[in-house]
Amino acid sequence: MTKKPDDLPVPVWRDELADEYAALAERLEPLVPCLEIPLHLPWIAAINQLKQQRGAVIMAHSYQSPEIFHGVADVTGDSLGLARAAAECDAGLIVVCGVHFMAESAKILAPDKTVLIPDLDAGCSLASSITVDDVRALRAKHPGVPVVSYANTSAAVKAESDAICTSANAVQVVEAMGAPKVIFLPDEFLGRHVASRTAVEIVLWHGHCEVHEKFTGQQARHAREQFGAKLVAHPECPPEVLAEADFVGSTTAMGKWLARERPARVAMITECSMADNLRSQFPQTEFIKPCNLCPHMQRVTLPNIYAALRDLKHAIEIPADTIAGARRALDRMLAVGRRETV
Ligand code: 13P
Ligand code: SF4
């Protein structure tokens, strides 16, 4: 269990928790070390009580730890799903358990609501690989070429872009620009994957996800040859990994593929918690999980979710003109629709 914020009293175990949270404990048993469950439950109970008192909604990305994903989240999903849910829900207070760009996306789509993130330093190697100045320099180098930015970018970079995409709709959004050439930011590997599926010429940036870039073709072959597993990979992985995969798709598309194919054994070549969170939905499938955890996602813990709700911190603030620019680029994506293509 991660360290609690210094001034936070630790909620204590009460025997009633065993009955109250019996179903949750059963769900968590295969997913977290069993000795941790009695440590998690008092925090989960305290958070759920405070959440009700505050009238808040907790949203958790699929890469969050099982005790957060199953224990306190009201809404779970991919980054776009969470942002949309933020705009649609009735609550005025939203806690985003995810990384900073995800909380920003929720704020962009729900600017009148208070959006909290439990740890302001929960970043993303892709989002931090590109700045507003970089985008302006690329535009100067490629005049008239539209810019499509992946959702894993800051609000400021989104505001400089013509359209946003996710890994689920990147090809569609690129083609909807109606241009022979598109600047694609910031993920080089996703950009290469898109380039392999469209006639549009793609100008790449050199950003990488520090979690997915670590996977190798050798690991993928090992999972298939030694364990007879089907391979499902996220398009942020290097091309040599994608070349081995039975299915390449976004966070949401992976879940849909599992529901459709029901493989006996699968290796999820993506963030480790994602496999844990899917595992309870597909008990017939054996998950071989190559364990790469996102260190930024791991910054969100039960104690700092509790602290966020108690102290109403850390609220996401974005200048109004940045919200307007980022919203325009996001709306361009939403107009294209969200048919899953990669
Ligand atoms: P999604 O947009 O599919 O939620 O993925 C975000 C992410 O950070 C992938 O590494
Ligand atoms: Fe960013 Fe990679 Fe972590 Fe996703 S898994 S938040 S892309 S660092």
Side-chain angles (χ1 to χ4, degrees):
M1 179 106 181
T2 326
K3 202 168 154 278
K4 71 173 184 61
D6 284 341
D7 60 340
L8 211 57
V10 177
V12 287
W13 172 262
R14 294 175 279 115
D15 285 342
E16 311 85 76
L17 290 176
D19 285 339
E20 231 173 280
Y21 283 99
L24 175 64
E26 200 178 327
R27 201 165 341 137
L28 289 179
E29 256 158 35
L31 306 176
V32 301
C34 62
L35 289 180
E36 283 187 8
I37 293 175
L39 301 179
H40 290 322
L41 290 185
W43 284 110
I44 289 171
I47 289 167
N48 286 335
Q49 189 186 6
L50 191 52
K51 177 174 76 176
Q52 249 185 342
Q53 285 164 0
R54 292 265 190 222
V57 164
I58 296 182
M59 303 194 171
H61 188 263
S62 309
Y63 293 0
Q64 287 292 299
S65 310
E67 69 275 12
I68 294 172
F69 190 90
H70 295 289
V72 299
D74 303 293
V75 179
T76 56
D78 63 10
S79 60
L80 179 65
L82 297 186
R84 280 179 160 153
E88 284 160 14
C89 75
D90 290 334
L93 178 64
I94 294 159
V95 183
V96 173
C97 300
V99 297
H100 195 264
F101 80 81
M102 295 176 182
E104 280 193 333
S105 295
K107 183 72 181 176
I108 291 163
L109 290 186
D112 298 333
K113 298 183 181 179
T114 301
V115 176
L116 305 177
I117 183 162
D119 187 330
L120 268 178
D121 291 330
C124 167
S125 64
L126 278 172
S128 61
S129 74
I130 183 104
T131 65
V132 166
D133 286 346
D134 294 328
V135 183
R136 290 181 183 160
L138 280 163
R139 281 200 193 273
K141 195 171 163 196
H142 303 277
V145 177
V147 173
V148 172
S149 289
Y150 188 29
N152 296 38
T153 44
S154 67
V157 164
K158 286 186 175 75
E160 288 290 319
S161 308
D162 294 292
I164 307 306
C165 72
T166 70
S167 57
N169 59 20
V171 175
Q172 258 187 300
V173 174
V174 161
E175 293 187 340
M177 294 294 104
K181 198 191 225 187
V182 163
I183 299 169
F184 188 88
L185 308 174
D187 187 351
E188 180 197 341
F189 296 149
L190 176 59
R192 285 191 191 284
H193 186 65
V194 171
S196 74
R197 296 179 166 221
T198 179
V200 177
E201 185 186 342
I202 304 290
V203 178
L204 295 166
W205 186 248
H206 49 69
H208 292 157
C209 162
E210 67 185 83
V211 177
H212 290 92
E213 74 173 348
K214 291 198 185 93
F215 292 111
T216 66
Q218 163 55 16
Q219 259 183 311
R221 282 189 294 280
H222 185 76
R224 190 177 48 236
E225 287 160 15
Q226 300 300 315
F227 298 100
K230 292 283 183 196
L231 305 180
V232 174
H234 193 280
E236 290 169 11
C237 293
E240 60 168 59
V241 173
L242 302 187
E244 299 288 342
D246 295 290
F247 179 72
V248 176
S250 65
T251 304
T252 303
M254 285 180 184
K256 290 188 179 164
W257 185 89
L258 287 172
R260 212 168 46 238
E261 301 292 325
R262 303 268 165 187
R265 232 176 221 186
V266 70
M268 303 292 295
I269 309 186
T270 186
E271 210 271 351
C272 185
S273 301
M274 163 96 183
D276 281 337
N277 293 330
L278 282 172
R279 196 137 52 109
S280 49
Q281 278 178 50
F282 300 101
Q284 271 83 34
T285 296
E286 186 187 348
F287 284 75
I288 310 286
K289 52 171 200 172
C291 205
N292 286 0
L293 279 166
C294 174
H296 308 289
M297 290 282 178
Q298 293 294 303
R299 294 188 82 98
V300 178
T301 62
L302 291 172
N304 64 21
I305 295 169
Y306 183 83
L309 272 171
R310 189 193 62 175
D311 303 336
L312 297 180
K313 65 180 186 186
H314 306 273
I316 300 291
E317 303 291 350
I318 308 173
D321 56 340
T322 305
I323 290 199
R327 178 72 203 234
R328 178 194 34 73
L330 268 166
D331 283 345
R332 188 99 186 253
M333 172 185 84
L334 296 174
V336 171
R338 196 162 177 253
R339 224 181 57 228
E340 279 166 4
T341 52
V342 295

